[in-house]
Amino acid sequence: MPRCPRCASPQAPARADRHCPHCEDPAPEFDRAVVALDYVSPWRHLITQFKFGQWPTLGAPLSAMLAQAVRQRPHPVDLVLPVPVSAERLRERGYNQAWVLARHTARALRLPAQADVLVRVTQHRRLKDLDLAERRRAIQGAFALTARGAQAVAGRHVALVDDVLTTGATLDEASLVLREAGALGVSVWVLARTPPPGWR
């Protein structure tokens, strides 16, 4: 399936290898998005079980698909990071699903991964029912680097891992923090991409 090379949104074959209109103004803070799946049935149910159903063991086979997608779009990466969850979400789930994916994917690709570089410093209501503008307002200022984080990312190409990409607001905000800390480039590796409304 042809995808926008910047945000990985599905698009018509005629636009293959061209940025979609949503990535032209303003452009995302990340350089590229690599996705393994579309967030549709049956994958949607499986990812929901992985994220909310206390099935962290699903992370290994799901990560294998993500690693394969990354291999198909080679690009420089020095360090793999998960999108952090808040302390409250971590208590609810018992694990950060993005760290499970990041750890397994980095191991498959023989890359270093760290979970102590980027932290979530604010808690917000769930984003799934918000539109893009509301998501951007809700997520603004939500991330910060740890004391060792700035040194870890400065001058390096970083891959940021998450489970689902919908509007890109969360990944954009986290990527901005990494860029401001001196990261040379930021790629986002996402298990599944939510197709745009009306996509067939």
Side-chain angles (χ1 to χ4, degrees):
M1 174 189 302
R3 294 183 182 275
C4 171
R6 191 71 175 263
C7 75
S9 180
Q11 56 184 359
R15 290 195 61 92
D17 300 322
R18 294 166 56 196
H19 289 177
C20 72
H22 301 294
C23 286
E24 292 171 357
D25 186 27
E29 294 292 338
F30 48 84
D31 301 304
R32 70 188 57 77
V34 179
V35 301
L37 308 163
D38 285 308
Y39 193 56
V40 295
S41 182
W43 303 115
R44 182 173 185 154
H45 175 73
L46 195 64
I47 293 167
T48 298
Q49 290 301 311
F50 167 56
K51 187 172 182 175
F52 300 111
Q54 297 298 310
W55 279 16
T57 53
L58 287 171
L62 292 172
S63 298
M65 290 186 282
L66 181 54
Q68 183 58 29
V70 173
R71 290 188 189 101
Q72 292 171 358
R73 286 192 64 193
H75 51 276
V77 173
D78 303 308
L79 180 64
V80 180
L81 307 175
V83 170
V85 296
S86 67
E88 180 181 333
R89 295 281 186 266
L90 194 58
R91 284 193 298 272
E92 285 176 6
R93 297 174 193 163
Y95 57 93
N96 176 0
Q97 74 282 352
W99 174 233
V100 175
L101 291 170
R103 190 174 66 244
H104 284 295
T105 303
R107 185 178 302 132
L109 298 171
R110 299 183 179 181
L111 291 168
Q114 289 181 235
D116 59 350
V117 170
L118 196 64
V119 294
R120 191 177 292 253
V121 294
T122 64
Q123 175 58 44
H124 53 76
R125 62 190 176 117
R126 297 189 188 275
L127 301 179
K128 67 185 181 98
D129 298 321
L130 306 181
D131 65 22
L132 176 57
E134 291 170 330
R135 285 178 183 233
R136 289 193 184 282
R137 285 193 296 271
I139 202 72
Q140 190 171 15
F143 301 107
L145 291 168
T146 61
R148 61 180 294 181
Q151 183 177 0
V153 303
R156 305 179 83 181
H157 293 275
V158 178
L160 192 59
V161 178
D162 206 359
D163 56 336
V164 178
L165 192 166
T166 302
T167 64
T170 297
L171 289 161
D172 226 29
E173 185 68 19
S175 296
L176 178 61
V177 172
L178 295 172
R179 284 198 177 282
E180 289 178 343
L184 286 180
V186 181
S187 301
V188 297
W189 297 352
V190 186
L191 182 58
R193 178 70 159 94
T194 302
W199 177 260
R200 296 289 185 272

